[in-house]
Amino acid sequence: MENITKKIRAVAKQALIDKEVDKILGWKKGDLWSDSYPVFITKPEDTDTLIWDLFCINNLSKFLIKELTKHDKIGIFIKGCDSTSFNQLLKDNRINRDDVVLYGIPCEGMVDPEKVKKIMLNERVREIKKHENNFTLISKNKNIDVSGEEIKYDKCITCISPNPVVYDQLLSDEVENSKHSGDRFKRIEEIEAMSPDQRYNFWKGEFQRCIRCNACRDICPACSCVKCVFDNEDAEVSGKAKTEGEDTFFHLVRAYHVAGRCVDCGECARVCPAGIPLDLLNRKIIKDINEVYGEFNAGMDSTTPAPLVTFKLEDTDTFSKKGGK
Amino acid sequence: MSLDTNTNVVNKNEEFKPLIVAFCCNWCSYAGADLAGTSRLKYPANIKIIRVPCSCRVNINFVLRAFQNGADGVVIAGCHPGDCHYSTGNYHTRRRFSLITNLTEYIGVEKERFKVDWISAAEGNKFATVMNDILEDVYKLGPNKKLRDARWKI
């Protein structure tokens, strides 16, 4: 990780000195051990703040939409899931490929601070060290050895694209696909196996914590409309009341609006202050698309049209016994 | 605090009168409903028909809003695949509503409350059958309490 940090700083500095790019999007260390947040750099001397560690989870691709209106050329560091988001933005014509320089970083999965806090209950974590696939959590009083599966984000454990699928320059060797990537629909199948009332109660319990902060929408790289239906007062799509129906309405519409374009980066669930597992809704749609219209992973390239903007004459459906013919 | 949703559901003493909202495509299904009417076929009066230009004009907002504002069942009816007035509209409907059917089922709304079907202008009979079927299913399930807006009153 230190090697990659050094490389990131060198690459960013050189690019800014050579005026190859106007701005660099990367990550910076925050105040706490678990804080690594996005940073935008325009001066070569500031590049020493850039880092690459176990907490660089933020998906930087979405920032490109706004930043490219102010700058002509932007350099960006991308992980696997960021690169699929990037492809999705290209496909939606939100950004121009020529305006961006991509520095790809193969990613072995990021650490979920919440999981670490649960393991190190009442201990102040100072540092997390990585060796091969295992981690050591270091606090003042004790050290605990854990495996990657215990503290990585769920989405990272089942990641299908750890290596960037699009880049101009790759900063390290490619990593192997996770052996757990086949399990990504396990949780969905568990929910599907419940009875309608159980499912309803499960989702009711989740949705009623929603405070309608719109963070899930704002961070989503596939949610890129200039004017969102939920912000459009004239459309009267969004009710303001804090009722169950309105919450369900918001979340279903949000999930459905990115259907076929969701790259399963899991940012919606990560940023949710109420901890609603929103990725379970999106992943359900991905699972259905895979089952009904054939395997499709959004963002793997920038040309294949999304399943919901296209059709085949011989399509089947899920709402009739005969297949709708 | 969320409002208590159980207070607004149909009074127990009253007889349950289901409300079905049917989104009908202007060119086929609406004409099918017309034919059912002119042929004097019997179908229940609990159906509120909303005429849309094409079945692909309906989006998930419409369906959820209908459920929120008092519908116990929703039907979306369009031309048979291949017969769309706009050539391809109902192919899109088919893909979208395949996913939406599964999604509404996934959050716990009973599958029987939500129906998509193809009804041509010549199928007055089919229109009556589809409406009778969904009404029967909804009768069995009872009033739709899920998804309902707490402020909604009959």
Side-chain angles (χ1 to χ4, degrees):
Chain A
M1 294 231 138
E2 285 77 28
N3 292 339
I4 300 178
T5 303
K6 272 182 204 159
K7 230 171 190 173
I8 284 179
R9 289 177 183 172
V11 164
K13 198 167 208 166
Q14 201 56 43
L16 285 171
I17 290 172
D18 295 347
K19 300 249 183 317
E20 195 192 351
V21 296
D22 303 333
K23 196 170 208 175
I24 292 277
L25 307 190
W27 302 274
K28 177 190 173 183
K29 200 69 206 160
D31 296 332
L32 297 172
W33 56 276
S34 60
D35 279 355
S36 294
Y37 54 81
V39 62
F40 305 163
I41 290 175
T42 48
K43 293 179 193 145
E45 59 269 27
D46 292 343
T47 50
D48 288 341
T49 56
L50 288 172
I51 51 137
W52 170 254
D53 66 3
L54 294 166
F55 307 101
C56 295
I57 187 78
N58 269 73
N59 188 338
L60 301 175
S61 301
K62 173 110 190 216
F63 294 111
L64 285 173
I65 303 174
K66 214 171 190 179
E67 293 300 319
L68 279 172
T69 59
K70 297 182 245 164
H71 296 269
D72 294 335
K73 190 113 182 170
I74 289 182
I76 179 172
F77 294 96
I78 51 171
K79 311 183 287 288
C81 46
D82 303 7
S83 70
T84 47
S85 316
F86 178 81
N87 263 340
Q88 194 52 53
L89 290 173
L90 279 183
K91 205 188 279 182
D92 295 344
N93 289 324
R94 304 298 294 146
I95 48 174
N96 198 345
R97 179 69 178 88
D98 300 333
D99 297 342
V100 187
V101 182
L102 300 171
Y103 307 106
I105 309 174
C107 160
E108 289 174 330
M110 293 291 164
V111 170
D112 187 349
E114 296 302 320
K115 286 190 182 175
V116 176
K117 283 175 197 162
K118 264 180 205 156
I119 296 172
M120 298 288 270
L121 216 55
N122 296 328
E123 294 278 338
R124 287 206 172 172
V125 182
R126 289 184 163 175
E127 207 187 339
I128 295 178
K129 278 203 174 140
K130 188 181 182 201
H131 10 251
E132 295 297 312
N133 283 324
N134 293 315
F135 296 84
T136 311
L137 313 178
I138 300 167
S139 75
K140 195 179 172 186
N141 301 324
K142 58 180 174 183
N143 296 354
I144 300 181
D145 286 319
V146 288
S147 67
E149 268 90 59
E150 283 175 80
I151 57 168
K152 276 185 194 172
Y153 278 99
D154 290 340
K155 66 172 182 181
C156 294
I157 296 171
T158 57
C159 179
I160 52 161
S161 59
N163 298 306
V165 291
V166 53
Y167 53 83
D168 294 315
Q169 188 184 342
L170 200 60
L171 299 185
S172 74
D173 297 334
E174 297 207 342
V175 295
E176 264 182 58
N177 247 19
S178 144
K179 60 176 187 235
H180 293 286
S181 58
D183 299 348
R184 61 199 277 242
F185 300 123
K186 204 174 134 199
R187 186 84 184 93
I188 312 290
E189 278 156 12
E190 282 169 23
I191 297 175
E192 280 171 349
M194 296 177 185
S195 72
D197 284 337
Q198 279 175 324
R199 277 199 297 268
Y200 174 71
N201 287 332
F202 170 77
W203 283 113
K204 185 180 164 188
E206 298 292 344
F207 289 153
Q208 72 182 8
R209 296 201 305 275
C210 178
I211 55 170
R212 297 283 283 281
C213 64
N214 286 343
C216 47
R217 177 199 70 180
D218 293 343
I219 200 135
C220 177
C223 264
S224 58
C225 294
V226 178
K227 184 135 196 172
C228 174
V229 282
F230 292 114
D231 287 339
N232 188 349
E233 307 246 314
D234 299 337
E236 290 183 7
V237 165
S238 168
K240 296 281 185 284
K242 173 65 191 146
T243 65
E244 210 182 296
E246 290 288 351
D247 294 336
T248 316
F249 182 85
F250 172 77
H251 286 293
L252 285 192
V253 172
R254 187 205 64 82
Y256 184 69
H257 274 192
V258 295
R261 302 186 297 120
C262 170
V263 296
D264 205 8
C265 68
E267 288 284 273
C268 43
R270 182 182 69 87
V271 296
C272 180
I276 304 171
L278 295 165
D279 53 341
L280 292 181
L281 281 177
N282 293 81
R283 211 170 289 140
K284 161 73 179 166
I285 298 178
I286 294 174
K287 180 169 178 273
D288 284 343
I289 289 176
N290 285 349
E291 280 170 7
V292 185
Y293 304 119
E295 183 83 15
F296 178 84
N297 290 310
M300 283 300 168
D301 63 64
S302 56
T303 47
T304 322
L308 284 187
V309 300
T310 177
F311 64 86
K312 281 185 191 145
L313 296 185
E314 64 278 9
D315 275 344
T316 53
D317 59 44
T318 63
F319 45 73
S320 67
K321 283 172 202 145
K322 293 173 287 180
K325 291 277 168 77
Chain B
M1 272 294 285
S2 61
L3 296 166
D4 183 11
T5 39
N6 295 327
T7 52
N8 65 352
V9 185
V10 186
N11 192 335
K12 273 180 190 163
N13 302 327
E14 277 177 39
E15 198 195 342
F16 169 49
K17 285 181 198 151
L19 173 66
I20 312 289
V21 174
F23 293 97
C24 289
C25 126
N26 182 31
W27 306 101
C28 286
S29 309
Y30 194 80
D34 242 2
L35 183 67
T38 47
S39 318
R40 301 191 170 246
L41 295 171
K42 271 196 180 166
Y43 71 90
N46 313 42
I47 317 283
K48 297 270 181 291
I49 295 179
I50 297 178
R51 190 179 188 175
V52 285
C54 177
S55 54
C56 79
R57 173 67 183 88
V58 183
N59 66 22
I60 187 169
N61 303 5
F62 294 10
V63 177
L64 293 177
R65 248 326 165 236
F67 277 127
Q68 272 188 324
N69 290 346
D72 298 301
V74 172
V75 184
I76 290 160
C79 313
H80 285 264
D83 295 344
C84 181
H85 187 76
Y86 309 97
S87 318
T88 57
N90 50 12
Y91 291 118
H92 289 288
T93 312
R94 186 164 64 183
R95 282 214 164 184
R96 286 176 199 168
F97 284 99
S98 291
L99 299 186
I100 294 176
T101 317
N102 283 4
L103 194 62
T104 44
E105 202 190 340
Y106 182 63
I107 60 143
V109 178
E110 295 89 352
K111 188 159 105 183
E112 291 80 10
R113 291 191 190 278
F114 181 57
K115 204 175 178 70
V116 186
D117 220 319
W118 315 121
I119 302 168
S120 86
E123 291 177 328
N125 262 324
K126 186 170 178 189
F127 183 87
T129 327
V130 168
M131 297 306 160
N132 281 322
D133 283 354
I134 186 161
L135 197 76
E136 203 176 302
D137 288 338
V138 170
Y139 255 123
K140 275 181 210 154
L141 290 169
N144 164 40
K145 297 176 194 172
K146 302 168 183 174
L147 288 179
R148 184 149 295 176
D149 190 331
R151 295 160 299 171
W152 180 81
K153 294 277 181 330
I154 298 169

